[in-house]
Amino acid sequence: MFYIFLSILCSVSVAVLLKLFNRYSVDSLQAIIINYPTAVILSYIFFKPELQLVGQHQSLLPEYTILALLLLSLFYFISKSIAFSGIVVTAVAQRLSLLIPVVAAFLLFGEQLNLI
């Protein structure tokens, strides 16, 4: 339950921050792009990863790059949606977008409902 609450808190915080970007005339694309090096630096400082392990997965660099660009574009589109439609409409649309993969898992891929 704690992780669900934490997830909701983080999701709402991102939406509110993106709304504040619009209010204070902050360029959301620049702020989102600056987020990446900031996250890397803070992750290195706080989590102290073993960089030798990173070198072992260099073959996945194209996939990581595509994923980074997709996340960047996702946050940008969310910021534009919040700027034009508002936080509530964007949040509802995000939650409803989870319905499509769940329905597809059961109808198209034959997943069975179980306790897990």
Side-chain angles (χ1 to χ4, degrees):
M1 190 67 173
F2 172 74
Y3 292 114
I4 292 173
F5 176 73
L6 189 62
S7 173
I8 292 169
L9 181 69
C10 289
S11 177
V12 170
S13 297
V14 167
V16 169
L17 286 172
L18 290 173
K19 182 66 174 179
L20 290 174
F21 287 168
N22 187 36
R23 179 178 293 167
Y24 293 110
S25 300
V26 174
D27 185 15
S28 59
L29 183 60
Q30 287 180 1
I32 292 167
I33 290 174
I34 291 298
N35 180 52
Y36 275 89
T38 304
V40 168
I41 291 168
L42 290 175
S43 295
Y44 181 76
I45 291 170
F46 289 114
F47 298 124
K48 304 197 183 348
E50 295 180 26
L51 295 179
Q52 297 83 6
L53 297 176
V54 175
Q56 295 173 358
H57 299 288
Q58 285 183 349
S59 63
L60 296 175
L61 188 61
E63 287 87 353
Y64 291 152
T65 304
I66 291 170
L67 183 61
L69 292 174
L70 285 173
L71 286 172
L72 181 86
S73 64
L74 174 75
F75 280 113
Y76 180 71
F77 289 134
I78 290 172
S79 72
K80 289 301 174 191
S81 176
I82 288 173
F84 292 115
S85 301
I87 293 176
V88 174
V89 173
T90 303
V92 168
Q94 282 180 302
R95 300 314 173 259
L96 286 176
S97 70
L98 294 175
L99 185 65
I100 295 170
V102 170
V103 170
F106 289 112
L107 297 180
L108 297 177
F109 303 117
E111 291 290 328
Q112 298 296 321
L113 185 63
N114 58 29
L115 186 61
I116 294 174

